[in-house]
Amino acid sequence: MDIEQEVSAFLAICRTAALATVDGEGRPHGANVQYVSDGRWRLSWVSSASAAHSVHLGERAACAATVYAHDDRPEMIHGVQLRGEAELVTGDERRRVLDLYRGKFSFVADEPYATAIEKQGVYRLTPTWLRWIDNRRGFGFKVEQTLS
């Protein structure tokens, strides 16, 4: 499997990303978000428009995210780091992302989530840079890519 397929498969099975944003005064903020990936390394999540990270993204689209495997053994550490810009997703694309979200997270079919999710914002990080770290291939193994 090549790195692109490996990263795509990894993002498809993982559920939570650590999202980093910056407020209007330059102060960093971190938040965990449950996300879906569309196979092109873009991460999308559902969040309240009033959440700090959503407000920050409205002020400044630049952000970063990490997703990692939950295994503390040094030889098993692997994950992806992303930098890019995030946007509010609207219209038909919002509906498509929500369908992906419902497919990955079955709990959103149940109340109160089913109703609440319709009132939330849908955000998407489109990466411009990616780093894949995989100690399973050897300590310190990494691949970096600048994306268009």
Side-chain angles (χ1 to χ4, degrees):
M1 181 182 297
D2 69 11
I3 297 297
E4 289 185 16
Q5 291 175 328
E6 196 169 339
V7 172
S8 293
F10 177 77
L11 289 174
I13 63 168
C14 293
R15 301 171 61 91
T16 305
L19 176 69
T21 59
V22 179
D23 72 12
E25 297 178 21
R27 293 178 299 221
H29 176 76
N32 290 332
V33 295
Q34 289 187 308
Y35 73 89
V36 293
S37 177
D38 62 4
R40 294 182 287 191
W41 301 342
R42 298 185 308 180
L43 306 184
S44 299
W45 63 92
V46 176
S47 190
S48 168
S50 64
H53 55 274
S54 300
V55 172
H56 298 164
L57 293 171
E59 298 170 346
R60 183 180 295 184
C63 60
T66 63
V67 179
Y68 64 94
H70 296 275
D71 192 320
D72 291 334
R73 294 174 292 169
E75 69 277 9
M76 295 303 290
I77 292 172
H78 61 289
V80 65
Q81 301 168 354
L82 305 164
R83 278 195 305 246
E85 294 195 350
E87 64 184 335
L88 184 64
V89 179
T90 60
D92 290 340
E93 187 63 10
R94 180 184 193 279
R95 182 74 25 222
R96 191 182 78 73
V97 169
L98 284 176
D99 287 344
L100 287 173
Y101 202 82
R102 287 184 189 98
K104 188 170 186 176
F105 301 106
S106 60
F107 72 88
V108 297
D110 300 329
E111 292 299 337
Y113 305 109
T115 300
I117 196 172
E118 293 299 328
K119 299 175 183 174
Q120 303 300 309
V122 175
Y123 298 85
R124 177 171 38 222
L125 164 60
T126 300
T128 56
W129 176 87
L130 172 143
R131 175 185 291 144
W132 173 246
I133 296 170
D134 192 347
N135 281 359
R136 298 170 304 174
R137 294 174 180 243
F139 184 74
F141 176 89
K142 66 182 171 187
V143 174
E144 294 184 7
Q145 281 188 277
T146 299
L147 311 168
S148 55

